[in-house]
Amino acid sequence: MQVVIHDLDEALFRALVPLEEEAMVLTADNRYAPCRGCLKCWLKQDGYCVYTDKLQHIGGILGRGDPLWIISRNCFGGYSSAVKAVLDRAIGVSLPFFTYRGGQTHHLCRYPRRKLMQVYLYGETTPLEESAARKMVRKNSWNLGYDQEEVFFAPAVEQFWERVH
């Protein structure tokens, strides 16, 4: 199942982004509670958040999501604060145990590994921001359980779909 996390205006998103029929779309609109760091999704609730909003099952949603698309405004080589807040709630996708992957220590995945995570960053991007974003996405893909990641940059979100799809 395709999963999309985005920070776009809903009308713009629907007009621009081609979706699979059964896609799960999570709009990062700052209407979700922020992660409170209680770790119950790790230790007591098998990946489920204590908050009962649309992100309560974000761990399971991402655990089944393949591919995962993240569409975000570039913020100094990172995600927008709204997208980051959604991803913060996804800590339940991993377990509180460690493994050694890619020459680094990472958490074990709660769900089977998936194939592809694609990140689309829009807005002006400097070479330093692009380098930082590529490193961040690589580490995010490891922690979220993806085997491959791709990062695309464009000055305006409308330009992605002309280039990529």
Side-chain angles (χ1 to χ4, degrees), residues 12 20 40 44 50 104 109 142 153:
L12 179 62
E20 293 177 2
K40 287 184 180 175
K44 293 185 178 183
V50 296
Q104 298 179 349
C109 294
W142 288 341
F153 300 90

Side-chain angles (χ1 to χ4, degrees), residues 2-163:
Q2 178 185 26
V3 175
V4 180
I5 300 170
H6 74 91
D7 62 3
L8 301 174
D9 171 76
E10 202 61 36
L12 179 62
F13 175 78
R14 298 231 179 266
L16 290 178
V17 180
L19 294 175
E20 293 177 2
E21 199 170 299
E22 297 178 13
M24 167 65 82
V25 177
L26 298 169
T27 303
D29 55 9
N30 286 318
R31 293 186 182 171
Y32 306 116
C35 177
R36 68 180 192 186
C38 68
L39 303 181
K40 287 184 180 175
C41 62
W42 263 8
L43 304 171
K44 293 185 178 183
Q45 297 191 190
D46 293 330
Y48 298 109
C49 183
V50 296
Y51 290 126
T52 56
D53 59 12
K54 192 173 180 181
L55 296 182
Q56 183 177 22
H57 302 285
I58 186 74
I61 291 167
L62 292 184
R64 291 185 312 274
D66 200 6
L68 168 63
W69 287 3
I70 299 174
I71 303 167
S72 175
R73 180 174 47 88
N74 169 42
C75 292
F76 306 104
Y79 305 120
S80 68
S81 61
V83 169
K84 173 75 168 72
V86 170
L87 292 173
D88 286 348
R89 291 276 301 276
I91 194 169
V93 78
S94 61
L95 294 166
F97 307 108
F98 297 100
T99 186
Y100 198 68
R101 270 194 321 263
Q104 298 179 349
T105 303
H106 291 275
H107 288 283
L108 290 172
C109 294
R110 184 179 299 275
Y111 301 96
R113 294 194 58 80
R114 277 100 47 229
K115 294 178 186 171
L116 181 61
M117 175 175 151
Q118 293 179 312
V119 174
Y120 302 89
L121 293 174
Y122 63 91
E124 294 301 320
T125 307
T126 68
L128 186 58
E129 289 172 337
E130 187 173 320
S131 174
R134 289 187 188 285
K135 289 176 187 173
M136 173 196 67
V137 169
R138 178 163 200 83
K139 290 180 181 188
N140 286 167
S141 73
W142 288 341
N143 287 333
L144 292 173
Y146 289 89
D147 291 330
Q148 180 184 356
E149 73 284 336
E150 297 175 348
V151 187
F152 304 95
F153 300 90
V157 73
E158 294 85 359
Q159 295 172 327
F160 278 124
W161 315 115
E162 297 166 5
R163 289 185 191 177

